[in-house]
Amino acid sequence: MSSISLIGLGGMARAIAARAVESGNAVEVTGRDQAKARDLAAALGGGATAGTFGTAPAGDIVILAVPYASAAQVLAQYGDALAGKVVIDISNTFNADATALVTPDGTSGAQEIAKAVPASAHVVKAFNTVFGHILAQGGPLDVLLAGDDAQAKTSVSTLIEALGLRPLDAGDLAAAHWLEAAGPLLMGLAGHGAGFNISISVNVPD
């Protein structure tokens, strides 16, 4: 089982934390609002704890579950407290009307986040291609991931499998650009007839 700390208290953080607790992982939830973090930990049960925002996370895997626009500020507050951690970036980087990415061509939000964490931390992009409310419904889903460190990706893949999901490795961290491009794609599909009860699935023939 994995030891997980989540930074952020939104819907995705709650959905991931709930599945993590259900599968027996040690879970710490953290946010700027300490009272909300304590309330979420109590609601999750299973020994979930509330951490203190800005201090060293208890988990070996840290899930950065904050909007991309605030990621740099949050990471600056944590600084060296993230040294040696596997950091999962779940953010989407599309603009307000979900028609384009806010990151420049040739890079990604995950790559920018990797520049902002300590050199000994390893960033893995994952979960951004799954809607939070779909994740919260339970059941199997495909989770696409990307990262530069093989051991970090193995740790994240093991966690994803523990949550009852299927990890699919899309390549190195540069591939996060294309995973983030799936955000506008999903929003476009949802807004043009498919609705929001959708997910990306990959058919892997035997």
Side-chain angles (χ1 to χ4, degrees):
M1 295 295 104
S2 300
S3 174
I4 308 160
S5 292
L6 295 102
I7 302 174
L9 303 172
M12 277 295 291
R14 290 168 179 264
I16 294 171
R19 291 187 77 135
V21 167
E22 289 170 5
S23 55
N25 296 279
V27 175
E28 175 187 61
V29 294
T30 311
R32 295 182 188 278
D33 190 322
Q34 188 68 24
K36 286 185 178 179
R38 288 194 297 266
D39 289 346
L40 177 55
L44 291 168
T49 60
T52 301
F53 187 82
T55 64
D60 296 323
I61 296 176
V62 177
I63 300 177
L64 183 64
V66 300
Y68 177 66
S70 61
Q73 182 182 19
V74 170
L75 293 172
Q77 290 187 255
Y78 275 85
D80 290 339
L82 296 177
K85 303 292 186 180
V86 174
V87 178
I88 302 178
D89 165 36
I90 73 168
S91 67
N92 272 301
T93 60
F94 50 75
N95 59 8
D97 61 1
T99 58
L101 301 179
V102 299
T103 49
D105 289 342
T107 189
S108 66
Q111 288 169 289
E112 295 305 307
I113 285 170
K115 296 175 185 176
V117 299
S120 61
H122 300 291
V123 173
V124 176
K125 188 77 183 188
F127 291 103
N128 76 293
T129 57
V130 180
F131 285 134
H133 68 281
I134 299 296
L135 189 63
Q137 291 173 9
L141 295 166
D142 287 343
V143 176
L144 311 183
L145 62 103
D148 288 337
D149 185 83
Q151 185 173 350
K153 286 201 287 187
T154 296
S155 297
V156 174
S157 293
T158 299
L159 169 63
I160 290 169
E161 289 175 341
L163 303 187
L165 308 166
R166 182 173 66 160
L168 294 171
D169 189 343
D172 60 20
L173 200 60
H177 174 82
W178 305 110
L179 298 189
E180 291 169 10
L185 173 63
L186 280 166
M187 294 297 287
L189 289 168
H192 291 85
F196 285 89
N197 289 320
I198 58 173
S199 63
I200 291 177
S201 179
V202 178
N203 181 25
V204 183
D206 294 333

